[in-house]
Each structure stands twice: as C-alpha cells, then as structure tokens.
Amino acid sequence: MSEVTQILSAIEQGDPSAAEQLLPLVYDELRKLAAQRLAQEKPGQTLQATALVHEAYLRLVDVDKAQHWNSRGHFFAAAAEAMRRLLVDKARRKQRPKHGGQQRRVELDDVVPLTDDRAGELLSLHAALEKLESESPAKAQLVKLRYFAGLSHQEAAEAMGISRATADRHWAYAKVFLRCEMDDADKS
C-alpha cells in the first residue's frame, strides 16, 4: 500500500493529523490538475490554480464529512470533481445580478482611449466635474457612476439610493452644466 493510500485510510478513520501529511505528497499533482482545469476556462479567469487546489483540498479532507477513497486514483478523481464543482459554483455566482450578471468586462482603455485629442477633453471634463462637485456632490456622483463606472441610469440611481426621477433631473442638469463648463474652457 502506497504512502498516499495509507494516509487516505487514516483520514477515513478520522485522524486529523493525516490531512496535514497528505497535502505535501499530492500538492504538485493537484496543482497540475488545477492548471489543466483553468486552462479550459475562458480568458480573464480570476481564480488562480493555487486557490483552486486549496479550496478543493479543504473539501476533500473535511474531517466532519467521512470520505472513502479506494485508491490514490480514486482520490485524484474526487479532487478533479471537487475542482469542477468549485468552478461551476464560481460561474453560477458570476451569473447572479449581484456579481455582474450578464454584463461583460470591458477594459477602461476600450471605453475611454487616451489619445492626445481625448486627453485634453478628459482634462476639461475633470475640471468641469470638480466644479460641479463643489456645487452639487450628488449630481457629480451620478456622472461618475454613469460615465466612469459604466452603470446604467437605473443602476446608478439604485447605487445612490435615489429615485429614477431624481436621477433623471440630476443627469439633465449635470449634462448641461458640464457641456457649458467644457465649452467655456475650450473658448479660453
């Protein structure tokens, strides 16, 4: 019986120190499994192979839930399944509206490319926004949420805790104010 199989047997019998002995023996192989699983995921995955290994390992050697492994191969099959379930759980969580739902990640440079002509416009907007913020912080906050954070009108209103009608009034005022300030800055 291999050392891993003996330790797995000790874990099955409830030996809490056996789990500590197992990780160093199987860590490299679990890491390879995790890297293979993550390589199949879409680009932009924020979960690291190390984190996936640790979470899966904690699920596998949970002393409160008796696990029964017939062999080393059975353990690694269970590890692969645990990693798959963790990735599925993470994907489901990302689909929830609270965690972004159907929104897609956009790089800031794609939204506001800083070319030389846009850089001047951005600086002008910044100055106008600072002036608006000194006069009306709530209206400036709405502009920041809509323009820089990319929130929809409704999402920005909810984030600020104001009604949609109030957000409409703030937005209308802020657009005119900022346009006037930016036009004045262009003239001078």
Side-chain angles (χ1 to χ4, degrees), residues 125 128-129 132 136-151 156 160 167 170-178:
L125 173 62
L129 193 55
L132 176 62
S136 178
K139 292 176 180 121
Q141 180 66 24
L142 179 66
V143 171
K144 290 175 187 176
L145 290 172
R146 297 274 325 269
Y147 189 79
F148 293 105
L151 296 182
M160 292 179 64
H170 284 357
W171 184 247
Y173 178 86
K175 284 193 316 186
V176 171
F177 180 91
L178 294 172

Side-chain angles (χ1 to χ4, degrees), residues 73-176:
H74 186 212
F75 173 79
F76 283 105
E81 180 65 16
M83 289 180 203
R84 185 190 67 78
R85 288 183 182 184
L86 283 164
L87 290 170
V88 167
D89 290 347
K90 185 168 176 60
R92 284 184 181 142
R93 187 172 54 251
K94 280 185 173 180
Q95 292 298 313
R96 292 186 195 127
K98 181 178 181 180
H99 296 282
Q102 298 299 323
Q103 296 179 5
R104 62 180 180 82
R105 185 178 295 250
V106 178
E107 295 296 322
L108 185 58
D109 291 340
D110 296 340
V111 177
V112 185
L114 290 179
T115 59
D116 290 339
D117 56 333
R118 292 282 306 198
E121 185 179 319
L122 188 60
L123 291 174
S124 178
L125 173 62
H126 174 69
L129 193 55
E130 281 184 333
K131 190 169 182 180
L132 176 62
E133 191 166 27
S134 68
E135 291 183 20
S136 178
K139 292 176 180 121
Q141 180 66 24
L142 179 66
V143 171
K144 290 175 187 176
L145 290 172
R146 297 274 325 269
Y147 189 79
F148 293 105
L151 296 182
S152 71
H153 203 63
Q154 184 65 37
E155 290 169 333
E158 288 172 6
M160 292 179 64
I162 60 175
S163 70
R164 173 71 190 251
T166 301
D168 289 339
R169 286 191 303 277
H170 284 357
W171 184 247
Y173 178 86
K175 284 193 316 186
V176 171

Side-chain angles (χ1 to χ4, degrees), residues 37-76:
R37 288 284 178 183
L38 290 174
Q40 297 169 1
E41 295 295 310
K42 289 183 180 178
Q45 175 66 256
T46 57
L47 187 62
Q48 303 273 329
T50 303
L52 183 58
V53 167
H54 291 198
E55 286 190 48
Y57 184 78
L58 288 175
R59 285 189 181 187
L60 288 171
V61 297
D62 187 359
V63 179
D64 296 335
K65 300 176 186 173
Q67 302 286 338
H68 300 285
W69 294 290
N70 300 332
S71 65
R72 175 186 172 98
H74 186 212
F75 173 79
F76 283 105

